Amino acid sequence: GAGVSQSPSNKVTEKGKDVELRCDPISGHTALYWYRQSLGQGLEFLIYFQGNSAPDKSGLPSDRFSAERTGGSVSTLTIQRTQQEDSAVYLCASSLYVDQPQHFGDGTRLSIL
Amino acid sequence: AQSVTQLDSQVPVFEEAPVELRCNYSSSVSVYLFWYVQYPNQGLQLLLKYLSGSTLVKGINGFEAEFNKSQTSFHLRKPSVHISDTAEYFCAVWVTGGTSYGKLTFGQGTILTVHP
């Protein structure tokens, strides 16, 4: 069956612009997660959703980062006024329930010029 | 808070040799443990998981890992590696309660390079 789908696969943008990253989880998965992978910081948790609610936003690095999930399915991660330190691979994962193994998409590689 | 330490950042090995990738964790609550593999320009693929029960777990591609609660370790092993096993491997923990519920905490990764 279809896995976790992320778009775009690559995004290059200028510093100061806003970007939206999209994640389409595995059908039927109730939990959705965003992680960031960068050379200096490794894999970092950003936020997770159970249904449409986000019980834990503690990993979002600044108030320029926000995420939403509508209809218990697709999620978007928005970064406003991008900075060069936002350059990273943003990975999305989903799981059937929160206590089940997470399945990852191939990520969005974000480059800030 | 929980943490994961992967003791080797890089492991070179010859084809058909055995390999062990080491992982230690710390947590004040009980955990689930995972190993993921990442090939270049791809996401993370689940290799194996320990949730409960037998401490020796078998995964895909001939990998296995053993959960050792007293040593807080979850080392990954394969008796005979192939060139195609060249990738980066991540150990991760998921806590079963507390403020960190819901998120995976990853180690820094181990790059396994298999030489012919």
Side-chain angles (χ1 to χ4, degrees):
Chain A
V4 177
S5 178
Q6 292 188 245
S7 61
S9 54
N10 285 282
K11 178 71 176 179
V12 181
T13 192
E14 293 179 347
K15 177 182 171 181
K17 301 287 189 183
D18 297 351
V19 294
E20 277 192 358
L21 311 179
R22 175 187 167 105
C23 173
D24 203 340
I26 293 171
S27 178
H29 280 196
T30 65
L32 184 147
Y33 314 79
W34 285 99
Y35 295 85
R36 180 169 71 174
Q37 185 174 26
S38 57
L39 280 176
Q41 302 298 322
L43 276 155
E44 306 171 90
F45 167 82
L46 297 179
I47 189 171
Y48 90 94
F49 291 89
Q50 176 59 55
N52 290 334
S53 65
D56 186 355
K57 301 180 181 180
S58 63
L60 294 177
S62 77
D63 58 7
R64 297 185 295 105
F65 286 72
S66 63
E68 64 176 18
R69 188 182 187 196
T70 55
S73 183
V74 173
S75 175
T76 54
L77 177 69
T78 301
I79 309 173
Q80 296 178 310
R81 306 180 302 281
T82 52
Q83 304 293 313
Q84 286 188 333
E85 62 263 28
D86 300 334
S87 295
V89 176
Y90 290 81
L91 292 166
C92 178
S94 70
S95 63
L96 189 59
Y97 300 105
V98 173
D99 62 349
Q100 296 297 305
Q102 299 176 21
H103 300 268
F104 284 79
D106 285 341
T108 294
R109 184 174 299 275
L110 177 63
S111 300
I112 310 298
L113 301 178
Chain B
Q2 66 284 349
S3 66
V4 180
T5 302
Q6 291 183 239
L7 296 158
D8 306 293
S9 59
Q10 297 192 51
V11 173
V13 65
F14 287 107
E15 193 173 18
E16 298 183 5
V19 71
E20 178 180 81
L21 306 184
R22 297 179 293 168
C23 172
N24 286 91
Y25 70 93
S26 67
S27 175
S28 58
V29 297
S30 60
V31 298
Y32 296 160
L33 294 154
F34 305 88
W35 276 98
Y36 284 87
V37 60
Q38 186 175 36
Y39 299 101
N41 299 314
Q42 294 186 23
L44 301 171
Q45 180 182 3
L46 180 66
L47 267 182
L48 48 77
K49 60 185 183 288
Y50 172 78
L51 306 182
S52 64
S54 172
T55 57
L56 182 64
V57 292
K58 295 187 183 298
I60 63 171
N61 302 341
F63 285 93
E64 63 180 33
E66 185 156 21
F67 170 56
N68 188 318
K69 188 174 182 179
S70 63
Q71 296 186 4
T72 60
S73 67
F74 191 55
H75 300 332
L76 181 70
R77 301 184 182 101
K78 185 169 182 178
S80 176
V81 295
H82 302 290
I83 298 287
S84 58
D85 293 324
T86 295
E88 189 162 17
Y89 293 78
F90 292 93
C91 180
V93 300
W94 187 91
V95 296
T96 59
T99 57
S100 296
Y101 184 79
K103 69 178 184 181
L104 283 169
T105 300
F106 288 91
Q108 289 298 308
T110 297
I111 297 173
L112 173 65
T113 304
V114 181
H115 298 283

